[in-house]
Amino acid sequence: MFKKIIAMLLVLVLAVGTFSGCVTRVTTSTDDGSSSTDLITLTCYSQLANWSGLMVGWFATILAEKFGVQINIVPDTDGVFATRMENKNLGDIVVWGSDGDQYSQAIAAGLLLDWEQDDLLQTYGAYMWETMQDAFEKNKTVSAEKDDEGNIIGDADTIYGFAANVASSSESTDSFFYTWDIRWDLYAELGYPECNDLDDLLEILTDMQALEPTDDNGNKTYAVSLWPDWDGNMVMYVKSLASAYYGYDGDFPGLGHYDPATGEYYDPLSEGSPYLEMLAWFNQLYQRGLLDPDSMTQTYDKMIEKVQNGGTLFSIFNYSGYLAYNNDTHAALNKVMKSLTPTEASPIVEGLSTLGGNRIWSIGSTTQYPELCMEIINWLCTPEGRLTIDYGPQGLCWDYDENNKTYLTEFGQLCVTDRTTIMPDEWGGQTFNDGSFQINNTTWASGDINPVSGEPYDYTMWASQVSGTASCDAEQDWRDYTDCVTIQEYMLSGNYTVDYPTTYSATEKSDELTLIWNEVTDCICTYSWQAIYASTDEEFNAIVSEMRGKAMQYGYQQCVAWCEQEVAIKDALQEPLRSSD
């Protein structure tokens, strides 16, 4: 009866569009007989996190107030997955970088919780249950046991979670991630030279560095600054450039690139592959003195600090481009980063889908607090929770106006443009960035529509942002030149490639192939960085040749064969979607 009453209350809360969660605290006795309230500590093993330890700052404050918890984050460093699997305890909340091998292994080992056990999802995840049915159906399919050809051979009726970037409809695209940001004020000063391809861009960046050779602090500027933290099967920035330029998926099938427009697969080490083409381009940057020499050894935090100080002139990513550089200080100097996509480029963008992507939220089967974990994930899926993930506490950083339209407060605007902004003491006193949502996964896609405001979750598309005047003359010049007001509008006006989500999930690799795969991918990353730093074209070619030879010795062709198998499976799922476009 109690569960039924709770369920009815949650449905009533859902009707008004919000759900703040239930505050759960543990009461303990002190030595003098009085009681004190302690926070419950939940462990979140997140394969996407760049943070280790307890969350701090403003998001930790919200979690403590709403749910009476603190979250200890365990990132996916070397050996962590194997150790936690061996100990048969993945944690309370478990976030997966993909729905592939390791996710399947966890299910097979019984280490993930069935979300419908004892009506857990329906009772404590009422908002999700009402709004994400397609995503849950996809999870049933993804989680089911499959044969080597991807056919389901087990039951497909268990929900172990859902994948991020869910949309309320499948009729549009998500916000662009590859936005080709460049210092527009310098580009205009050069007289708007043609930018048809990467060769043109190379010359433009060379001339821009000559115009502004030092950053805000007097340090040398570079075209771009890389970082190795996020490398996986290949060097991240290299494989991502092929995604930004050709529209190829560099995350699937894990090694090389897949063209979602045609179904074609390009292995990374074949002659003239997209990966080697982009590797050579970064080497050309290095040979011209346009690549930050610290790229191979620095952290993401060090890189973003350089971007914020004007140390870079270009980025294919929005977060290390205009989102990091554009602020009031630079606008006052008439300096701004805006999009300039080469004419021949066709950046990849995810199609919005009610199915979601492949980065999964789940709950560990050994947790003592399944209801609490579900409440937290459920809140993150509400409009309030989704906006809080990106923009901070409601009221302090963002809110709704009298027409229920979203806007950033003056302080919120400052936090968005400068993530080193110090939060008020009552919100933890940390920087906005340090106090942010360190689990590093999303729920709804940023391009999806917030049902409260009728606007996307992406703040750059809010009426309150686009209706105002340009921040400086250089930004107005970009608007006049492109005849666009927002980055999204500009990107949609050019060429782009849509990657349609499907129910695909990777076939589990054998233990032997996993060992070979790790040796091959380590080889590719190691030699790729060496190739980037080659002093001459001859040295570059020699390093690539040695990389190819070593990889072949490790079993490269077996990895490629597995990738080709996976491409065939996914392409069969995507082909009907392409045909109906």
Side-chain angles (χ1 to χ4, degrees):
M1 180 62 68
F2 177 74
K3 283 187 175 181
K4 289 181 179 179
I5 293 172
I6 290 293
M8 291 172 63
L9 289 173
L10 290 179
V11 169
L12 288 173
V13 171
L14 178 64
V16 298
T18 59
F19 175 63
S20 60
C22 303
V23 177
T24 307
R25 297 180 185 271
V26 175
T27 302
T28 58
S29 298
T30 58
D31 292 339
D32 61 4
S34 62
S35 63
S36 65
T37 303
D38 298 324
L39 297 175
I40 292 173
T41 300
L42 298 179
T43 296
C44 175
Y45 166 54
S46 174
Q47 295 188 336
L48 301 172
N50 299 307
W51 182 276
S52 180
L54 290 174
M55 286 176 60
V56 299
W58 60 268
F59 210 99
T61 301
I62 291 174
L63 291 174
E65 292 181 350
K66 283 186 175 293
F67 303 103
V69 304
Q70 58 183 357
I71 292 185
N72 181 49
I73 296 178
V74 178
D76 191 36
T77 53
D78 289 344
V80 168
F81 174 74
T83 299
R84 301 194 77 84
M85 285 286 289
E86 184 177 347
N87 293 336
K88 299 188 182 304
N89 184 350
L90 290 174
D92 299 292
I93 296 174
V94 187
V95 174
W96 302 90
S98 75
D99 51 18
D101 289 355
Q102 294 184 342
Y103 175 69
S104 298
Q105 292 171 28
I107 292 174
L111 297 183
L112 295 183
L113 188 71
D114 175 357
W115 279 26
E116 292 190 277
Q117 178 179 309
D118 298 325
D119 290 333
L120 183 70
L121 174 59
Q122 293 85 340
T123 304
Y124 298 96
Y127 190 87
M128 293 186 290
W129 181 246
E130 291 292 331
T131 57
M132 292 182 167
Q133 280 296 313
D134 286 355
F136 291 129
E137 288 301 315
K138 174 189 175 180
N139 184 261
K140 290 180 182 179
T141 301
V142 166
S143 303
E145 186 181 358
K146 303 176 183 67
D147 61 22
D148 292 341
E149 296 180 353
N151 301 309
I152 294 175
I153 57 177
D155 295 331
D157 57 5
T158 305
I159 298 173
Y160 292 103
F162 72 94
N165 284 355
V166 180
S168 52
S169 74
S170 301
E171 298 177 357
S172 186
T173 62
D174 201 356
S175 301
F176 279 81
F177 181 63
Y178 300 110
T179 51
W180 291 90
D181 301 342
I182 199 166
R183 276 286 299 279
W184 187 263
D185 52 299
L186 298 179
Y187 179 69
E189 190 174 344
L190 290 174
Y192 315 100
E194 285 190 357
C195 186
N196 295 315
D197 53 29
L198 290 175
D199 291 336
D200 289 344
L201 181 60
L202 185 62
E203 298 304 324
I204 291 169
L205 293 171
T206 300
D207 294 340
M208 287 174 64
Q209 187 190 50
L211 283 178
E212 188 155 305
T214 58
D215 67 8
D216 301 347
N217 297 326
N219 300 313
K220 184 178 179 180
T221 58
Y222 297 96
V224 68
S225 184
L226 315 185
W227 64 100
D229 304 28
W230 300 353
D231 289 352
N233 300 319
M234 300 169 284
V235 172
M236 186 278 294
Y237 214 121
V238 176
K239 59 104 173 173
S240 294
L241 183 56
S243 299
Y245 192 74
Y246 287 118
Y248 299 160
D249 188 343
D251 294 320
F252 168 82
L255 194 61
H257 290 84
Y258 165 76
D259 184 356
T262 65
E264 190 168 355
Y265 169 65
Y266 303 90
D267 75 271
L269 300 186
S270 60
E271 196 69 34
S273 72
Y275 183 77
L276 292 182
E277 179 185 354
M278 300 310 166
L279 190 68
W281 192 76
F282 280 109
N283 176 244
Q284 288 302 304
L285 287 179
Y286 176 76
Q287 289 190 42
R288 292 196 183 202
L290 293 169
L291 181 80
D292 181 0
D294 296 333
S295 292
M296 185 169 63
T297 56
Q298 70 184 349
T299 63
Y300 168 85
D301 290 339
K302 188 63 177 178
M303 175 280 303
I304 208 70
E305 180 182 334
K306 293 177 180 179
V307 175
Q308 292 168 338
N309 290 328
T312 59
L313 308 172
F314 163 75
S315 172
I316 60 171
F317 302 110
N318 56 5
Y319 61 84
S320 58
Y322 80 91
L323 290 176
Y325 179 79
N326 294 350
N327 57 37
D328 291 342
T329 300
H330 288 141
L333 298 172
N334 200 35
K335 296 180 176 182
V336 67
M337 292 192 85
K338 302 296 287 188
S339 294
L340 177 68
T341 306
T343 306
E344 294 187 4
S346 182
I348 194 171
V349 60
E350 288 189 10
L352 288 180
S353 173
T354 57
L355 301 174
N358 68 343
R359 297 181 171 183
I360 293 181
W361 290 94
S362 63
I363 297 173
S365 61
T366 59
T367 181
Q368 299 180 51
Y369 308 102
E371 299 89 352
L372 188 53
C373 293
M374 189 67 73
E375 285 180 345
I376 293 170
I377 298 173
N378 186 72
W379 177 74
L380 294 172
C381 295
T382 65
E384 179 193 352
R386 180 63 185 87
L387 290 167
T388 300
I389 288 174
D390 283 348
Y391 309 120
Q394 182 176 4
L396 176 67
C397 294
W398 66 273
D399 220 322
Y400 297 106
D401 64 18
E402 63 277 8
N403 297 314
N404 274 342
K405 297 299 181 182
T406 32
Y407 69 92
L408 293 175
T409 65
E410 184 177 349
F411 183 75
Q413 188 76 46
L414 181 62
C415 292
V416 165
T417 56
D418 183 3
R419 294 180 66 88
T420 64
T421 300
I422 301 297
M423 299 292 281
D425 289 343
E426 61 268 28
W427 291 103
Q430 304 282 335
T431 67
F432 179 83
N433 190 65
D434 286 345
S436 63
F437 183 64
Q438 302 292 355
I439 294 175
N440 202 24
N441 201 17
T442 62
T443 53
W444 298 100
S446 64
D448 191 46
I449 301 300
N450 172 1
V452 177
S453 67
E455 298 178 305
Y457 289 107
D458 182 350
Y459 85 100
T460 65
M461 292 186 275
W462 295 352
S464 58
Q465 289 288 313
V466 302
S467 61
T469 58
S471 62
C472 60
D473 290 342
E475 183 177 7
Q476 185 60 52
D477 182 68
W478 179 84
R479 293 184 180 186
D480 294 339
Y481 186 88
T482 62
D483 197 28
C484 296
V485 176
T486 68
I487 297 293
Q488 185 78 356
E489 182 184 3
Y490 171 78
M491 300 302 296
L492 287 171
S493 69
N495 299 320
Y496 58 91
T497 302
V498 179
D499 187 15
Y500 296 98
T502 69
T503 56
Y504 165 84
S505 63
T507 306
E508 188 171 350
K509 301 182 188 74
S510 66
D511 291 342
E512 179 185 3
L513 180 57
T514 298
L515 179 61
I516 293 171
W517 183 279
N518 292 337
E519 290 177 328
V520 167
T521 54
D522 285 347
C523 171
I524 290 175
C525 285
T526 299
Y527 276 92
S528 291
W529 277 110
Q530 293 179 20
I532 288 174
Y533 282 78
S535 300
T536 64
D537 292 350
E538 292 74 20
E539 183 184 358
F540 175 86
N541 291 332
I543 293 172
V544 168
S545 178
E546 186 174 354
M547 171 171 59
R548 187 181 288 120
K550 290 284 188 181
M552 293 295 180
Q553 292 176 16
Y554 290 136
Y556 176 76
Q557 290 300 341
Q558 292 175 252
C559 298
V560 169
W562 182 87
C563 290
E564 290 173 339
Q565 164 194 292
E566 298 304 293
V567 165
I569 297 171
K570 182 171 182 177
D571 186 52
L573 296 170
Q574 275 198 332
E575 198 282 329
L577 302 176
R578 292 196 296 266
S579 301
S580 63
D581 186 18

